[in-house]
CSV table of all heavy atoms in Angstrom, one decimal:
chain,number,residue,atom,x,y,z
A,38,ASP,N,-12.8,14.1,19.0
A,38,ASP,CA,-13.1,12.8,18.3
A,38,ASP,C,-13.6,13.1,16.9
A,38,ASP,O,-13.2,12.3,16.0
A,38,ASP,CB,-14.1,12.1,19.1
A,38,ASP,CG,-14.2,10.6,18.8
A,38,ASP,OD1,-13.2,10.0,18.2
A,38,ASP,OD2,-15.3,10.0,19.0
A,54,VAL,N,-13.1,3.6,13.0
A,54,VAL,CA,-13.7,3.8,14.3
A,54,VAL,C,-12.7,4.1,15.4
A,54,VAL,O,-11.5,3.7,15.3
A,54,VAL,CB,-14.6,2.6,14.8
A,54,VAL,CG1,-15.8,2.4,14.0
A,54,VAL,CG2,-13.7,1.3,14.7
A,103,GLU,N,-2.9,35.7,21.0
A,103,GLU,CA,-2.7,34.4,20.4
A,103,GLU,C,-3.7,33.4,21.0
A,103,GLU,O,-4.0,33.5,22.2
A,103,GLU,CB,-1.3,33.9,20.6
A,103,GLU,CG,-0.2,34.7,19.9
A,103,GLU,CD,-0.3,34.5,18.4
A,103,GLU,OE1,-0.4,33.3,17.9
A,103,GLU,OE2,-0.4,35.5,17.7
Side-chain angles (χ1 to χ4, degrees):
D38 196 23
V54 286
E103 290 297 305

